[in-house]
């Protein structure tokens, strides 16, 4: 089984993914970090130098590689689930967990970070408009949805671990 964490920037995918992988004895993979390592460039630089489409291509290539693996917890970038090809490729035994967060939590958790899509004058407006288009997509592909606003990363992880016990391994 693979556990794939999806959701908006700042939802806690990386923090929670690392915890869940540790508890399950699975390998943890952060897709953004993996893409950065392979390219020898930061996500920001990939966006600046080659554009978003190039980043999305790298994301899809990595998805194809990971789909063959097992016992992985994969933390996806916030745009991953928007590409139906990625979702289709994810592998039969993968479970998609959507970490849901409201705009307030997202703004707080992404404060001071340098994500290319939030590098705009009005971050709040950008977050609200991106969330509006993305939320239905995240929800429609998810096997499990966890509301993270009132929970600590430990509590979110517990929720996923409980559910994972009911999933075939
Ligand atoms: C993106 C989210 C980022 C990263 C890239 C694009 C998005 O990942 O993949 O900046 O489209 O939402 P995080 O969700 O880990 O911040």
């Amino acid at each position: 089984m693979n556990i794939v964490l999806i959701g908006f920037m700042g939802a806690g995918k990386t923090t929670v993914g690392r915890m869940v992988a540790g508890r399950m004895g699975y390998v943890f993979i952060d897709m953004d970090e993996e893409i950065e390592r392979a390219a020898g460039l930061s996500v920001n630089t990939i966006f600046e130098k080659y554009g978003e489409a190039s980043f999305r291509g790298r994301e899809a290539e990595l998805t194809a590689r990971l789909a063959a693996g097992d016992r992985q917890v994969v933390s996806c970038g916030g745009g991953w689930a928007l590409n139906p090809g990625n979702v289709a490729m994810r592998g039969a035994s993968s479970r998609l967990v959507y970490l849901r967060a409201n705009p307030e939590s997202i703004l707080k958790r992404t404060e001071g970070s340098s994500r290319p899509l939030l590098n705009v004058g009005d971050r709040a407006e950008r977050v609200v408009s991106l969330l509006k288009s993305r939320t239905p997509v995240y929800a429609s592909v998810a096997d499990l949805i966890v509301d993270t606003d009132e929970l600590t990363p430990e509590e979110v992880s517990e929720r996923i671990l409980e559910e994972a016990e009911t999933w075939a391994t």
Side-chain angles (χ1 to χ4, degrees), residues 13-59:
K13 295 167 297 205
T14 301
T15 308
V16 168
R18 194 166 276 127
M19 284 179 182
V20 171
R23 290 277 298 276
M24 294 181 74
Y26 278 24
V27 176
F28 173 65
I29 293 151
D30 181 90
M31 290 195 69
D32 288 344
E33 277 175 18
E34 204 63 33
I35 290 167
E36 290 183 329
R37 201 189 341 262
L41 299 168
S42 69
V43 170
N44 269 316
T45 306
I46 297 172
F47 268 71
E48 271 167 31
K49 273 182 93 163
Y50 305 108
E52 180 171 351
S54 163
F55 176 77
R56 299 301 173 199
R58 293 163 203 254
E59 208 168 36

Side-chain angles (χ1 to χ4, degrees), residues 6-14 30-33 35 43-44 47 52 55-56 59 75-80 82 110 113-118 130 134 138:
I6 63 168
F8 206 77
M9 296 169 264
K13 295 167 297 205
T14 301
D30 181 90
M31 290 195 69
D32 288 344
E33 277 175 18
I35 290 167
V43 170
N44 269 316
F47 268 71
E52 180 171 351
F55 176 77
R56 299 301 173 199
E59 208 168 36
S75 156
C76 299
W80 182 89
L82 283 309
T110 57
S113 86
S114 62
R115 288 166 168 94
L117 295 182
L118 300 183
L130 279 177
R134 289 178 169 196
Y138 294 144

